[in-house]
Amino acid sequence: MRLEHFIAARKPSTIPEAPSDPISRLIERRWGAVLAADVVEYSRLTSLNEERTYFLYKAHRHELIDPKIVEHGARFVKSTGDGILAEFGTAIDAARCAIQVQQSMAERCKDEASDHRIVFRIGLSCGMIIADSEDVYGHEVNVAARLQTIAPPGGIAMTGEVAQTIRCTLHLPLEDLGMQQFRNMCRTVHVFQCQFLGNGDS
Amino acid sequence: MRLEHFIAARKPSTIPEAPSDPISRLIERRWGAVLAADVVEYSRLTSLNEERTYFLYKAHRHELIDPKIVEHGARFVKSTGDGILAEFGTAIDAARCAIQVQQSMAERCKDEASDHRIVFRIGLSCGMIIADSEDVYGHEVNVAARLQTIAPPGGIAMTGEVAQTIRCTLHLPLEDLGMQQFRNMCRTVHVFQCQFLGNGDS
């Protein structure tokens, strides 16, 4: 059902009580693996040189990241200004995309001065999300965005569910960071991370 | 010039030295007023009730915020998951939009329980920005996003330039917060804020 339909059906000043009320049946939910990527210290890089930062960021996006996201079959992609939010059909697709991006970024930037280098952090989460024509929403989207902020520069932070799913397929060296409590989130999150050598910041 | 053209023109491993090099002439710059709006404690609201938060947020967007943004002639709008980034041709248009949104939100939500209420923070900035077909970029965009994080719930934080521009036209009671240093930004920002009564959180 399109968003406009259930917006029009809403009675003003009535707060629906999910999950038992009719609203939950009007919201499109699907299982998805969410990848959130952002540039480390983007504001500092922009302050140093706005145009060069923009240019290099867009070059990495168009030459590497966007093609990788397409290659791994993302169902939804949006720009977050200094990064990307993408949703994939499987955690393995999302993780493969993240790994290939970070490995290629380390190679692309190895000769650049570390204080001017574009380095990405990536967060991965998976579970039920809410999707409409404009964006993706829900707890797992928020978790991926938070994981991105604590990921090592040039590395990946992921939930326990993503780690369990990819463990036997991708053979990635994962560090268990234990249960983490993020501000304003009711549930703790089991976090694993991996770093990639050659990045200079890791 | 389209992004693809200067991406294709880029020589790999050459870091352009803006502003004197040819790259600066290939980037589209324009003056713009940037409005960044986000929901206060969106992760907490999502943790409490994912579907209701999504539904109420979308209702406020479609019934109030999106029409206001269109009404005031925004040139660029994008969803930020729990908010909006919009660019206007004048600071007065951006400020009028922000004021009308916050005044209407206070009215719309006055009967809702304060711990379940959707409340927006808004940041306003203006100056030269970088724009392409996908997004807007640059220092002023980052400043608007940071101002949004320190704005009072239900209120607006803005740069000194926005405050000077709107002062004689909109007659808004502005509080001078002085020069603020944001993390990872080389320049300090003169910040003004205004609050709106009836919000419960202000």
Side-chain angles (χ1 to χ4, degrees), chain A residues 57-196:
Chain A
Y57 166 73
K58 291 302 262 191
H60 292 310
R61 280 278 313 281
H62 284 257
E63 292 166 13
L64 170 67
I65 300 171
D66 292 6
K68 284 291 173 200
I69 284 173
V70 171
E71 181 185 327
H72 292 91
R75 296 191 292 211
F76 170 84
V77 186
K78 77 162 180 176
S79 161
T80 56
D82 61 336
I84 280 283
L85 186 76
E87 183 224 345
F88 297 82
T90 75
I92 288 179
D93 284 332
R96 275 209 176 103
C97 180
I99 294 162
Q100 290 176 20
V101 163
Q102 294 297 41
Q103 286 175 335
S104 298
M105 282 299 296
E107 182 61 27
R108 285 166 72 90
C109 301
K110 65 183 180 191
D111 297 328
E112 290 178 10
S114 63
D115 60 340
H116 286 75
R117 195 183 301 168
I118 301 261
V119 177
F120 286 90
R121 288 192 176 97
I122 297 181
L124 296 176
S125 173
C126 65
M128 295 309 292
I129 62 163
I130 298 171
D132 62 32
S133 58
E134 184 187 54
D135 216 326
V136 288
Y137 308 84
H139 178 71
E140 294 300 339
V141 178
N142 300 345
V143 167
R146 293 295 182 88
L147 286 171
Q148 168 270 308
T149 66
I150 65 162
I156 304 168
M158 65 190 77
T159 62
E161 192 173 341
V162 174
Q164 286 298 330
T165 308
I166 69 171
R167 195 182 292 276
C168 298
T169 310
L170 302 183
H171 307 291
L172 206 61
L174 294 176
E175 185 183 351
D176 186 344
L177 298 187
M179 300 304 289
Q180 302 283 328
Q181 178 71 58
F182 294 115
R183 191 173 64 84
N184 278 333
M185 285 194 181
C186 300
R187 295 169 251 173
T188 56
V189 179
H190 196 170
V191 179
F192 291 79
Q193 72 172 23
C194 61
Q195 307 196 35
F196 296 88

Side-chain angles (χ1 to χ4, degrees), chain B residues 44-57:
Chain B
R44 182 183 64 78
L45 294 169
T46 300
S47 285
L48 284 175
N49 191 325
E50 195 174 51
E51 293 186 347
R52 186 174 64 181
T53 300
Y54 167 77
F55 171 75
L56 288 177
Y57 166 73

